[in-house]
Amino acid sequence: SYELTQPPSVSVSPGQTARITCSGDALPKKYVYWYQQKSGQAPVLVISEDSKRPSGIPERFSGSSSGTMATLTISGAQVEDEADYYCYSTDSSGNHRVFGGGTKLTVL
Amino acid sequence: EVQLVESGGGLVQPGGSLRLSCAASGFTFSSYAMSWVRQAPGKGLEWVSAISGSGDSTFYADSVKGRFTISRDNSKNTLYLRMNGLRAEDTAVYYCAKAYCGGDCYSPGDWGQGTLVTVSS
């Protein structure tokens, strides 16, 4: 079955740049989406189609994708950005959707 | 404003059945694909199933194929998930999600608050 691989945790100090990666074999041909989930809340879409920022998402959130790796970048991370982040994409057939295992971002 | 309200969760014995519902409002329901995503306690997100706006196309994770059935009633703006043969590992919060974009687009955009399903004897 298709898998997306994320690091379990990333830690930065406030104001620093946080980068969370997501790797998958089909990423050269399939978009990646990124979701933020704060404790006890439903997920929120923060990046669509590799690099598009939905309305209402702060400009410090950005996304990129190259080859088999996609990256979510939070420039000048804030304490309120502490959350679990998940990437999402599909396999090469487009029939199977999958989330990465999630990355816990700590900002302190 | 998009609103998605899940219901139907609860405690069920192993091997039992349950039907989840998701009442949608604030958008043209039939124009968007919908998905179910679950999250076991303390674990990550797991995509479960998706259905096209018309209901003609359905997709399932291997872990639920043959046991779960996704459906929708566009006249009632409601999404369903029929779950049969439930197992302990199906215990999770189940979220419904509206596709980020219309047409042939299934990636979740807006999410409901979820409903908890507990499978235990």
Side-chain angles (χ1 to χ4, degrees):
Chain A
S1 60
Y2 186 53
E3 292 183 356
L4 296 173
T5 302
Q6 298 181 234
S9 63
V10 168
S11 182
V12 298
S13 300
Q16 288 189 328
T17 296
R19 293 182 178 85
I20 298 172
T21 59
C22 172
S23 63
D25 290 342
L27 295 189
K29 296 184 178 181
K30 298 297 183 182
Y31 284 130
V32 167
Y33 296 73
W34 290 95
Y35 299 87
Q36 175 194 68
Q37 186 180 33
K38 295 183 178 180
S39 181
Q41 298 182 20
V44 172
L45 178 67
V46 294
I47 294 290
S48 69
E49 297 180 341
D50 291 347
S51 59
K52 297 180 180 178
R53 195 173 53 249
S55 62
I57 301 302
E59 291 185 5
R60 62 181 179 272
F61 288 86
S62 63
S64 63
S65 187
S66 178
T68 60
M69 183 170 289
T71 303
L72 172 69
T73 301
I74 308 172
S75 303
Q78 306 293 309
V79 172
E80 59 262 33
D81 298 330
E82 259 199 10
D84 294 323
Y85 290 85
Y86 297 89
C87 59
Y88 165 96
S89 187
T90 68
D91 67 359
S92 55
S93 73
N95 291 331
H96 289 84
R97 280 84 182 161
V98 63
F99 286 92
T103 299
K104 182 177 182 60
L105 174 66
T106 302
V107 183
L108 53 73
Chain B
E1 178 192 4
V2 172
Q3 286 201 330
L4 301 167
V5 180
E6 302 94 337
S7 61
L11 176 63
V12 61
Q13 292 188 340
S17 298
L18 214 54
R19 189 182 80 160
L20 305 183
S21 300
C22 172
S25 61
F27 64 101
T28 304
F29 184 66
S30 60
S31 295
Y32 290 86
M34 299 291 293
S35 298
W36 287 99
V37 177
R38 68 185 180 184
Q39 187 169 36
K43 302 298 184 181
L45 301 174
E46 180 186 13
W47 174 77
V48 173
S49 183
I51 187 169
S52 63
S54 65
D56 289 345
S57 297
T58 57
F59 306 90
Y60 297 93
D62 290 343
S63 58
V64 306
K65 192 175 295 184
R67 299 188 299 124
F68 290 11
T69 302
I70 191 172
S71 62
R72 63 192 298 160
D73 186 335
N74 287 343
S75 68
K76 295 183 178 179
N77 289 354
T78 302
L79 174 72
Y80 302 101
L81 184 69
R82 177 67 179 181
M83 304 184 294
N84 295 330
L86 282 162
R87 307 165 180 167
E89 54 264 36
D90 295 319
T91 294
V93 173
Y94 284 73
Y95 294 100
C96 81
K98 165 188 168 289
Y100 164 69
C101 45
D104 188 27
C105 168
Y106 291 84
S107 304
D110 298 282
W111 298 62
Q113 286 305 304
T115 186
L116 176 63
V117 172
T118 303
V119 183
S120 175
S121 56

